[in-house]
Amino acid sequence: MRVASQGANEWIDGFLFVANRPILDLLNTRPVLADKPTELLPDVRALERWLIASGMVTSPKTKAIVRGWRNSAAAAFLEQLVAFRERLREAVVRIESGSSPTDAFLTEVNSLLLQHPRHTSLHKRDGKVIREAVFRPREPADLWAPILDAGADLLAETESSRIRKCESCVIHFFDTSKKGSRRWCSMNICGNKLKVAAYQRRKRASGTSK
């Protein structure tokens, strides 16, 4: 899966990628734009674009399969995924506050993991044996496998203190900086805006103190 960084192009095919974790980028498909929450996954075509842009779907064959889904099963999966996204958001907010996901949510994730396991296989490469994920979807519900696998990795993350929400907006991210001091979703989006506001406040305060 593609892991976005702050130095990379932050918007890809209409989606924001600043989270450093694809599953958090999924949460960020409902950002606040023009002062109101905006759903970036309104239909199956948008979901297909996000799956490809996020790196959840990579091979040409799999991309062709996903792009060919224009049926009620795909629409039903999207509806279920969006609902799951919001329950995952609640779990992430709990983690960010220093708590842990509810037992009910973990039970739900475990049930889905059993229904849609992530398969792997072994290969030789450069004289070494490597393990790779195998993803061969036959129907929309098979898309749960990589999404749930990424979700489970996030929920079991040992450095949960690095899972954060931007101090200025609703975007979530995983802080990969050396100092662990990242505060904003992006310097371009919120960082510079807050720095300018802080500078103006200091300037006003300095002026009034004279």
Side-chain angles (χ1 to χ4, degrees):
M1 295 178 186
R2 186 188 61 79
V3 178
S5 67
Q6 288 180 277
N9 185 4
E10 294 169 346
W11 287 93
I12 300 176
D13 203 6
F15 301 102
L16 183 63
F17 293 98
V18 294
N20 293 317
R21 293 289 186 276
I23 196 64
L24 290 176
D25 287 319
L26 176 63
L27 293 189
N28 298 335
T29 54
R30 194 170 186 269
V32 172
L33 302 175
D35 297 325
K36 64 179 181 179
T38 302
E39 179 58 71
L40 300 183
L41 298 177
D43 53 40
V44 172
R45 290 193 177 187
L47 175 62
E48 295 163 6
R49 288 174 26 241
W50 184 84
L51 289 167
I52 293 170
S54 68
M56 288 275 183
V57 171
T58 56
S59 74
K61 182 177 181 180
T62 305
K63 289 179 182 178
I65 291 173
V66 171
R67 284 172 175 150
W69 286 332
R70 296 282 191 277
N71 52 32
S72 58
F77 170 77
L78 175 58
E79 183 178 355
Q80 294 166 8
L81 178 63
V82 168
F84 176 81
R85 179 192 66 189
E86 297 312 310
R87 293 193 294 276
L88 177 63
R89 189 188 309 281
E90 293 176 5
V92 168
V93 169
R94 288 177 64 89
I95 291 172
E96 291 167 344
S97 68
S99 185
S100 60
T102 64
D103 291 342
F105 183 69
L106 292 181
T107 297
E108 176 188 0
V109 173
N110 282 334
S111 176
L112 288 169
L113 285 169
L114 288 173
Q115 295 174 54
H116 308 283
R118 190 75 186 269
H119 299 289
T120 60
S121 63
L122 300 178
H123 303 277
K124 282 187 176 181
R125 181 179 298 168
D126 299 327
K128 296 181 180 180
V129 176
I130 62 171
R131 185 179 183 181
E132 291 183 331
V134 177
F135 183 47
R136 297 168 184 163
R138 297 181 179 180
E139 58 184 7
D142 292 336
L143 292 168
W144 277 118
I147 292 170
L148 290 168
D149 185 67
D153 279 347
L154 182 73
L155 295 174
E157 174 61 56
T158 55
E159 291 188 275
S160 58
S161 62
R162 287 179 175 261
I163 301 172
R164 299 178 193 147
K165 186 175 80 68
C166 176
E167 291 186 5
S168 182
C169 70
V170 299
I171 299 300
H172 300 269
F173 60 86
F174 185 85
D175 183 5
T176 58
S177 66
K178 289 184 178 180
K179 294 183 178 180
S181 57
R182 180 178 169 187
R183 299 166 55 194
W184 308 300
C185 58
S186 162
M187 185 60 69
N188 295 328
I189 298 172
C190 287
N192 286 331
K193 178 176 65 177
L194 290 178
K195 284 191 171 185
V196 169
Y199 170 76
Q200 291 175 339
R201 285 196 300 271
R202 290 194 300 270
K203 189 174 180 180
R204 287 195 297 269
S206 175
T208 56
S209 64
K210 293 180 180 179

